[in-house]
Amino acid sequence: MEYKALNFSITPRSEEASDVLSAMLAEIGFDSFETTEEGLRAYVPATLFHEKDVQTTIADFFIPGLSIIYNVETIESKDWNEEWEQHGFDPVLERTFGIRLNPQGAFGSGSHETTYQLVECLCGMDFEDQRVLDMGCGTGVLGIAMAKQGAKHVVAIDIDDLSVTNTRENFKLNQCEHFTAIQGDASAIEGMFDTIVVNIHKNIILHDLSTYVEHLRRGGMLITSGFFTTDSKEVEEKAEVLGLQVEKQSSKNDWAVILFRFP
């Protein structure tokens, strides 16, 4: 999958401004962010990139007294290894949880708030003998976390063929044997699961939530992230209509994680 990388220069630079800008960009399809000395580097699939939306986001930026300019780069799939080398992949999950990754794409290295929160959550749970689903798997890190916590079989699905290939590589790197990696969207889900983890944009979660529930066993858990705390209520309301109950919530830098139980 081809990505666009946008380099934002924020003057005067502040951590608050970078956080707010990343939150606003996530609403228009950006899925990974790095803070830089100038401000922010943000990644978006080329198919979701619309420059008018970026310009509108900057025009709507509500912190006064700032100047925001940017440039756009096109990054081919084959260039991701070089991209990580140039911009510094920090193996935070290996240091903290023993999960090794060779990231080939933009999302799922563990540095993002949603990924780290989810891995921390999953590594504190027991998935013994469970069949689990990592939906929107990226590098496969969430599936690996569940495998390390006893999952009997992990199914990982992503729309990006590069992510699926990378997921297979990372499962082998972590000596996880019982897994299936599939390219596709929610329509590719087959069978029933004890736990489903979804780390995807809010609009996709809302669209596919009924499909997740159809494949979730009674007593099972749906764990969601990829959206902001301001969007939590909308996700909760849709989930409750489908029979899910909120069991636990957490957040980090305004990125939300919600655990639902299907009683």
Side-chain angles (χ1 to χ4, degrees):
M1 178 186 292
E2 182 180 283
Y3 265 76
K4 300 289 185 180
L6 277 67
N7 300 296
F8 292 89
S9 178
I10 305 172
T11 308
R13 186 195 178 285
S14 71
E15 184 174 342
E16 178 187 10
S18 295
D19 288 345
V20 171
L21 182 57
S22 65
M24 296 175 73
L25 291 170
E27 291 296 325
I28 58 172
F30 285 75
D31 63 15
S32 190
F33 308 93
E34 300 172 57
T35 55
T36 65
E37 292 184 1
E38 293 76 25
L40 185 72
R41 182 173 172 87
Y43 301 90
V44 61
T47 55
L48 299 180
F49 174 63
H50 303 287
E51 192 145 16
K52 286 185 178 180
D53 291 342
V54 176
Q55 293 169 352
T56 299
T57 296
I58 293 174
D60 291 342
F61 201 77
F62 55 83
I63 298 179
L66 292 180
S67 169
I68 302 176
I69 60 175
Y70 68 93
N71 61 62
V72 182
E73 300 175 30
T74 298
I75 303 176
E76 303 288 346
S77 296
K78 64 182 180 181
D79 293 328
W80 277 113
N81 275 339
E82 181 181 353
E83 182 70 12
W84 282 113
E85 290 173 2
Q86 290 178 353
H87 293 279
F89 168 55
D90 179 13
V92 59
L93 298 183
E94 183 172 357
R95 291 199 313 271
T96 310
F97 303 106
I99 295 175
R100 301 176 62 193
L101 293 178
N102 178 24
Q104 304 287 329
F107 198 67
S109 69
S111 59
H112 193 275
E113 285 87 345
T114 58
T115 310
Y116 189 90
Q117 280 190 92
L118 284 169
V119 173
E120 186 175 42
C121 171
L122 297 175
C123 286
M125 300 173 67
D126 182 8
F127 299 98
E128 192 71 29
D129 294 327
Q130 288 194 19
R131 184 173 189 256
V132 301
L133 171 64
D134 178 1
M135 188 69 214
C137 56
T139 59
V141 58
L142 304 180
I144 292 168
M146 290 187 283
K148 286 181 172 292
Q149 294 302 111
K152 177 174 60 177
H153 190 91
V154 179
V155 177
I157 300 177
D158 201 288
I159 61 172
D160 183 10
D161 58 346
L162 180 62
S163 291
V164 174
T165 299
N166 190 214
T167 291
R168 292 179 180 134
E169 293 172 348
N170 287 327
F171 266 91
K172 293 177 182 178
L173 188 63
N174 287 272
Q175 299 180 329
C176 301
E177 298 179 355
H178 304 292
F179 72 93
T180 304
I182 303 168
Q183 182 181 1
D185 55 19
S187 65
I189 302 174
E190 294 183 352
M192 303 300 291
F193 295 88
D194 301 287
T195 299
I196 298 175
V197 181
V198 186
N199 188 19
I200 303 179
H201 190 272
K202 176 201 69 175
N203 292 339
I204 299 176
I205 292 176
L206 292 173
H207 182 270
D208 294 334
L209 199 54
S210 60
T211 301
Y212 305 147
V213 173
E214 287 174 9
H215 293 276
L216 186 62
R217 291 192 176 101
R218 287 288 178 176
M221 180 170 286
L222 173 67
I223 306 174
T224 59
S225 191
F227 51 89
F228 298 99
T229 53
T230 51
D231 296 317
S232 293
K233 184 176 180 181
E234 187 176 2
V235 176
E236 289 175 32
E237 290 175 349
K238 179 67 176 290
E240 288 171 358
V241 168
L242 295 170
L244 297 170
Q245 296 178 354
V246 176
E247 183 161 300
K248 183 180 178 182
Q249 298 188 57
S250 66
S251 65
K252 182 178 181 181
N253 294 334
D254 296 325
W255 290 93
V257 172
I258 306 178
L259 289 75
F260 295 99
R261 182 72 67 180
F262 192 33

